[in-house]
Structure formats: C-alpha cells, structure tokens
Amino acid sequence: MAYNNNAAYDLNLFDEENTYSSAAPKRREEEPVRKPKKKVKNNVVEFSEEDKLKSRRRRHNPLKLLLGGASAAVVAVIIGFIIVGQVQLTELNQQIISAQETLEDTQSIYTQNQMKLEANLSNAEIEKYAASLGMTKASNAQKEFISLEGGDKAEVSVQKSENIFTKFIDSIKNLWS
C-alpha cells in the first residue's frame, strides 16, 4: 500500500472568523430556498338545517329495541341460572365435606369402642368375671360320661299329606332335587 504524502489541508477554511488569508474563495452566505406553498383544500361540508335536524333526531326501530331488550333479558336469566347453580354446587360440596368429616369421626369412635370391647372380652377378663360370680373351671368330678347300649340310631318321622295338591307339589320338588 502506498500512502499519498502530498495531502495537505488548511484548517483556516473551517474557522468562522477567517482572519488568515487564503487562496480559497470566500464563502458566501446562502439564502434559504423557499418552497412553494401548497394550496389548502377546503374540507368543510355544509349541511342544511333539515339534515342537521335529521342527524340530531335519530329514530329507533321498536322491533330492534324489543329484540335487544329480550336478548339482554335472556342473557341475564342464563347468567343468573349459572350463578345459582354454582352456589348450589358449592353448598352441596360443603355438605359432602361435613358429612365425610362426620363419617370419619363416627368410624373413629366405632373403632375405639370395638377396641374397648375386645379388651373387655379377653380370656383373662372372662375368667376373672366368672371367678367373681363363684364359678370354677370344670374338673373330672363334674363331668359325667354316658354310654349307649345299642349304638347310634336314627328315626325318620313320616308326615301325613293332607290333600292331593301337597302330594303333587312334593312330587315336583322331588323331580328337581
């Protein structure tokens, strides 16, 4: 790369007050350039008195008013039903929660009573209670043994049928068994 060693500059050209003489021509002050003015359009629209009165007095369509009022009433009723439904749902949820708490408390009490009952019905407690009543354990002296001479016997008792209908019903029962 080659550098240009001939480059020179004169700082006096950039001074506002040019006290030094220079070979450069003096700057002349330029007048600002005037732009031509645009024509302004007149955007004002004038209405007659009749038009002004018509715009001030807007006629409402009674059918539209009735339809709008009815639809607003329907929307209000639907929103009311939704709110009432949510309130009832909340109340029912609260009742369910309180019923569940009551159930848990009752189950806890039942379990406690069951444990107390089982503790009172232990073999040691029963023997203690029987001893307090004057009872004793059975001994061989209290036991009686019996013997049967002819062995075991079984008797079948015969029932007499009262009429034909009972015999018929009994025969049907015997078929199914």
Side-chain angles (χ1 to χ4, degrees):
M1 290 182 109
Y3 291 105
N4 188 0
N5 291 337
N6 298 2
Y9 54 89
D10 188 10
L11 291 178
N12 293 332
L13 293 175
F14 299 105
D15 288 341
E16 292 291 327
E17 296 177 15
N18 210 352
T19 56
Y20 303 104
S21 63
S22 171
K26 289 188 177 182
R27 288 176 131 184
R28 39 180 179 142
E29 294 186 26
E30 297 180 15
E31 294 181 13
V33 179
R34 293 186 185 177
K35 296 180 181 175
K37 291 185 178 179
K38 293 182 180 177
K39 292 183 180 178
V40 178
K41 292 182 181 178
N42 189 3
N43 290 336
V44 176
V45 177
E46 296 196 22
F47 291 107
S48 66
E49 287 298 318
E50 256 184 60
D51 291 337
K52 289 179 186 178
L53 287 175
K54 282 183 184 178
S55 67
R56 287 184 192 147
R57 286 186 290 144
R58 183 174 170 194
R59 293 193 71 211
H60 298 287
N61 188 353
L63 181 63
K64 286 184 180 179
L65 287 176
L66 183 63
L67 185 63
S71 62
V74 168
V75 168
V77 167
I78 290 173
I79 290 173
F81 280 141
I82 290 171
I83 291 172
V84 168
Q86 289 295 325
V87 167
Q88 288 175 347
L89 185 65
T90 303
E91 288 174 355
L92 290 175
N93 283 338
Q94 289 298 326
Q95 288 176 357
I96 289 171
I97 290 170
S98 65
Q100 285 175 343
E101 289 173 355
T102 304
L103 176 65
E104 290 173 1
D105 292 342
T106 307
Q107 285 177 343
S108 174
I109 291 170
Y110 175 76
T111 304
Q112 290 174 0
N113 288 339
Q114 197 69 17
M115 296 291 283
K116 286 179 186 177
L117 182 64
E118 288 176 5
N120 288 337
L121 292 179
S122 67
N123 286 338
E125 290 293 322
I126 293 172
E127 287 177 5
K128 185 178 169 185
Y129 182 71
S132 69
L133 292 176
M135 301 173 109
T136 59
K137 284 189 174 186
S139 64
N140 286 338
Q142 294 173 330
K143 297 178 185 174
E144 280 186 39
F145 296 99
I146 58 168
S147 62
L148 298 175
E149 294 177 8
D152 292 339
K153 293 182 182 180
E155 279 186 32
V156 177
S157 64
V158 178
Q159 294 180 352
K160 295 180 182 179
S161 299
E162 295 178 3
N163 57 24
I164 298 174
F165 294 115
T166 56
K167 288 181 182 179
F168 179 71
I169 292 173
D170 288 338
S171 64
I172 292 175
K173 286 181 182 176
N174 289 335
L175 287 176
W176 292 107
S177 59

